[in-house]
Structures are given as C-alpha cells and as structure tokens.
Amino acid sequence: MQVPARFEYERASSVGHALMLLERLGPEARVVAGGHSLIPMMKLRLAQPEALVDINDLAELSHLAVEGDELVVGALVRHARLLADAEAGRLFPILHDAERVIADPVVRNRGTVGGSLCQADPSEDLSAAFSALRATAVIQGPGGARTVPIREFHTGPYETAVEPGELLTELRVPIRPGSGSAYQKVERRVGDWPVAAAGAVLVIHDGVIAEAGIGLTAVGAAHFAAPEAEESLIGQVPGEEAYARAGALAAAHCEPQSDQRGPADYKRHLVGELVRRALARAAERAGRGGLR
Amino acid sequence: MMITVTVNGQAHTRDVEPRMLLVHFLRDELRLTGTHWGCDTSNCGVCVVHLDGTPVKSCSVLAVMADGHEVTTVEGLERDGELDTVQKGFVECHGLQCGFCTPGMMLTARWLLDRDPDPSEAEIREAISGQLCRCTGYENIVRSVRWAAESEAAS
Ligand SMILES: Cc1cc2nc3c(=O)[nH]c(=O)nc-3n(C[C@H](O)[C@H](O)[C@H](O)COP(=O)(O)OP(=O)(O)OC[C@H]3O[C@@H](n4cnc5c(N)ncnc54)[C@H](O)[C@@H]3O)c2cc1C
Ligand code: FES
Ligand code: FES
C-alpha cells in the first residue's frame, strides 16, 4: 500500500488566502490542484512536502474565456473542461487535439491545465501545445502579478519560473487571424504519455507563412520548442517541401533519450514525421478559413 | 483533522490524517468495500467513484479534499432496493466475470448515460478507456451499457 509521508493540509478560499498560507507554511509547502501528478509522487515518496495548500475551491482560477484578443485559461481549468469548450477548440484546435490524447477521461476530470504546466514533466503534452501557441503565463506572488512568456516558463525538468510562495493563475493565448493549428502524438497505448509529440501553429497571409510555432515534447527540446524549424518556415509557400524541411530541422535539433518508451533514433524519426503531419494539418485548417 | 463527507446521501464525520486517500477512507473508515483498490497508481480505474457527480480515481484523491463534498460509490447506485439500470445491464449482458473492475465501470457508465443517453460503442469505449478489465475483453461491458441506454430510452 502506497501512503504519502505525513503533511499538514490547508484549504485556500481565495488566491490571497492561498498566497498567505504558502507564506506561512514556508518553502516546503506545495500547492495541490488536481493532485494527479503530485499525489502519485507523494505516494511513491518522490515528493514529501511538509504541507499542502488545496486550491480546488478557487473559482477565480477556473475561468475560460476570450478577453480582447486572447483566450484566457485559468490554472484550475480541468482537462475535461478545456476539451469540452467549443470556443477554445474553434480558436485553437491544437488544444483539443492534445487534450483528447492526454491520459483518460476520468483523469481528465480531475487534472488541471495549471497543474500540468507546473508539474513540468519533460513529457507533458500541454507544455508543447502552449509553447507552439506562444502563450503567456500569469504568476501571482505576495508582491503582485507578473507575466512570463511560456518559452521562459520551464527552467528545466520539473522546474518552472513559479517560485515557492507563488501561484500560476492563468495562461493567455494570443488569437491570430488567419491561423490554423494541430497536435500529433504517438503513444504506446491509449492514454499513455507520449513517445514523442509535436504541435504546430501556422499563420498564413497572402499565400505565404507569416508566423510559425512548433512545440515538441518528450524529446529533450529546450523550452518544448523548435526555433530552427520555425525560422525555416517564415516567408515560405505552405507545402510538403517546407513541412518536410521543418520536420528534419526539428528532428536534428532535439535531444531525445532512449528509455522504456523507445530508442532515441526512433523518437528522432518520429519528430520529423509528426512535425510534418502537424504542419500539414495546421495549414489545412488555416486554409479552411482558419480563424476569422 | 475532522472531515465530513456526504457519501451516498449520508453525511459521515471522521477524524482522519490528511494523508489518508479517499479510497481507504471509503473502504476502511466507512466499510464501503464496493469501491475496489487495485493498481494504486491511477491507471486501472477500479477505485472510480463520483465526486460531486463526476467520476474520479479515488486512489489519487485525498479524503480531506472531499471534505464538504459529495461522493457516490457503487453502493449508492441502487435506489429503494432497486438496482440502477446500468447494474441491470451488467446482469442481463454478463458484463462481469470476476467483478473487480465492475464498480468503477458502472459508475463511469452511469455518468456517461447521464450526459449522453444514446452513446455509440466508440463513445462507450472512450469513456471507460482509463479502466482495465482483465476478464471480459470489454465486449460485454459495452453491451451492458448499450442495454442500459436502450432500456432507459424505452421506459
Ligand atoms: C494515469 C495518468 C496518465 C497521464 N497521462 C498524461 C499524458 O498522456 N500527457 C500529459 O501531458 N499528462 C498526463 N498526465 C498528467 C495529467 O495531465 C495531470 O493532470 C497533470 O500532470 C497535473 O495536473 P494536476 O492538476 O493533477 O496537478 P497536481 O498534481 O495538483 O500538481 C502538479 C504540480 O504542480 C503544482 N501546481 C499545481 N497547480 C499549481 C498552480 N496553480 N500554481 C503553482 N503550482 C501549481 C503542484 O504543487 C505540483 O508540484 C497523466 C496523469 C495520470 C494520472
Ligand atoms: S487503484 Fe486507483 S486507478 Fe488503480
Ligand atoms: S470482470 Fe474481472 S476485471 Fe473486469
């Protein structure tokens, strides 16, 4: 039987209260959202926080709405809710593509968007999706709120820009007219973490690629991004040739490790192929009118 | 820490350690052993219960997180001595063999039918995709859920 080590439990009633609790309980306290990464780690004693601050009651972190030219996703939005939200799926099909293959429906009922990003597992799917989308993270601390571009959010495996005593409150995703997006993942079995996965966002203006975002996960890509592949696409006419070149660049610049999910060269091969497919799908969606 | 959890409509107050998992609270504190406990790693789904009406894996939820909330277990599916249609479906269509996965399967099926009274086979398979059955090969589970859907549509 797996049982976590002893800890103190507090339930926060507002963001301010959560920050106060975190300050009082000190650096060994952790936030618990869905708990579906943290509690399994505590059961295995891979994590032994002295205290947990439960943020599940914070309705103020559960918003999911368009504000101006951004989609704002509260940190406590559950996977299932993001997947069920028609507007989010219309604006950013990449988010629905990714959510559909994250874990299983029951886990998705509980796990949160913020928890996924803060867990910063090197195989997290949403990290790649938000990296492709060039989202912005909003972090709240005792001194107020600050924003961090998603590509500066992850500071290493299981490490983020969220300092002890701070909360991730929301993600802001810029809405780009003329864009299309997609996510492609290969997993060993339904609901598993990716062997490799790639997300793509394309903005096409007057028949050429004006902006490109490519996110990668599980393959050792710094900041879950593929900047060389993105650059190669700018100014190009959308088409198989450009996608294949971008895929090859992404594959060349990531650093997959061999593990129980597969050998490194296979993962590298997958990156090339998944980037190519995600780009083709994103372009097709942009072409179908894409966003407005 | 004192917590009060409403389980199958009845409030239960207990003094528990924060580290107690919801599955053990239900099984060991309340003696509701219909909720099973399997992989302990959030993969198999035998521990599924409804938390505020939504299926969750209770091996990965702390009992203290359910304080002030409502839980439904398999024991709560029957009403006034009558089995839920989903339970009847499992009886009619031989939806179980050893029965280990069954409580979780039925709770997810109930939730599915409450949201979508006429799910396709693919939708049923997707809904239970986080739950493992070592016996039935899933065929009869899918049939049981379809039986329940059709029977509810007819009534
Ligand atoms: C069986 C299973 C399969 C899975 N498969 C996949 C998969 O295929 N792909 C995938 O990407 N993920 C997968 N996951 C992970 C899943 O997406 C989790 O929901 C997610 O990793 C964590 O979300 P959570 O809300 O449960 O976070 P928690 O476990 O509550 O927290 C995770 C970490 O983030 C911190 N944290 C949480 N919220 C905040 C916040 N607002 N501010 C600051 N810190 C915070 C916590 O302190 C903790 O360190 C899987 C999980 C399970 C159990
Ligand atoms: S015991 Fe909870 S998912 Fe297996
Ligand atoms: S009936 Fe035996 S595990 Fe499903």
Side-chain angles (χ1 to χ4, degrees), chain A residues 119-130:
Chain A
Q119 179 65 19
D121 187 297
S123 301
E124 203 79 57
D125 285 297
L126 285 184
S127 301
F130 283 113

Side-chain angles (χ1 to χ4, degrees), chain A residues 22 29-41 47 52-53 55-56 61 74-79 98-99 101-104 107-108 110-121 123-127 138-139 153 158 160 162-163 166-170 183 185 187 189 191-194 217, chain B residues 41-44 57 60 65 130:
Chain A
L22 287 171
R30 297 277 281 277
V31 168
V32 63
H36 272 39
S37 289
L38 184 53
I39 293 171
M41 282 178 63
L52 288 187
V53 175
I55 60 169
N56 280 282
L61 297 186
L76 204 58
V77 169
R78 315 259 173 209
H79 293 301
E99 282 293 4
V101 291
I102 290 176
D104 59 68
V107 169
R108 292 200 292 264
R110 193 74 187 150
T112 65
V113 170
S116 295
L117 289 176
C118 291
Q119 179 65 19
D121 187 297
S123 301
E124 203 79 57
D125 285 297
L126 285 184
S127 301
V138 181
I139 298 171
F153 182 82
Y158 307 100
T160 71
V162 183
E163 301 284 344
E166 290 186 322
L167 273 183
L168 172 66
T169 55
E170 63 190 26
Y183 194 76
K185 166 171 165 175
E187 67 272 67
R189 54 186 150 72
D192 196 17
W193 294 82
T217 193
Chain B
T41 60
S42 66
N43 282 286
C44 75
K57 293 180 175 176
S60 301
M65 295 173 91

Side-chain angles (χ1 to χ4, degrees), chain A residues 43, chain B residues 23 36-48 57-60 130:
Chain A
K43 287 167 74 173
Chain B
V23 64
H36 292 164
W37 170 53
C39 69
D40 219 357
T41 60
S42 66
N43 282 286
C44 75
V46 302
C47 63
V48 166
K57 293 180 175 176
S58 62
C59 69
S60 301

Side-chain angles (χ1 to χ4, degrees), chain A residues 7-163:
Chain A
F7 59 86
E8 191 180 336
Y9 171 87
E10 294 283 354
R11 197 182 284 183
S13 55
S14 67
V15 168
H17 185 218
L19 294 174
M20 203 193 76
L21 286 169
L22 287 171
E23 184 170 346
R24 171 163 73 71
L25 295 165
E28 296 305 316
R30 297 277 281 277
V31 168
V32 63
H36 272 39
S37 289
L38 184 53
I39 293 171
M41 282 178 63
M42 289 169 64
K43 287 167 74 173
L44 294 168
R45 310 272 171 128
L46 292 171
Q48 298 204 14
E50 287 173 6
L52 288 187
V53 175
D54 184 348
I55 60 169
N56 280 282
D57 282 357
L58 305 192
E60 59 204 288
L61 297 186
S62 302
H63 52 291
L64 175 56
V66 172
E67 284 177 21
D69 55 1
E70 290 176 317
L71 176 74
V72 184
V73 187
L76 204 58
V77 169
R78 315 259 173 209
H79 293 301
R81 167 115 179 276
L82 184 54
L83 180 55
D85 191 87
E87 181 72 349
R90 187 184 71 80
L91 292 170
F92 303 110
I94 183 175
L95 292 177
H96 276 197
D97 288 356
E99 282 293 4
R100 210 170 279 122
V101 291
I102 290 176
D104 59 68
V106 180
V107 169
R108 292 200 292 264
N109 280 338
R110 193 74 187 150
T112 65
V113 170
S116 295
L117 289 176
C118 291
Q119 179 65 19
D121 187 297
S123 301
E124 203 79 57
D125 285 297
L126 285 184
S127 301
F130 283 113
S131 174
L133 289 165
R134 290 189 171 83
T136 302
V138 181
I139 298 171
Q140 185 103 29
R146 64 194 174 97
T147 56
V148 176
I150 199 70
R151 294 184 181 193
E152 292 165 25
F153 182 82
H154 296 98
T155 49
Y158 307 100
E159 282 177 19
T160 71
V162 183
E163 301 284 344

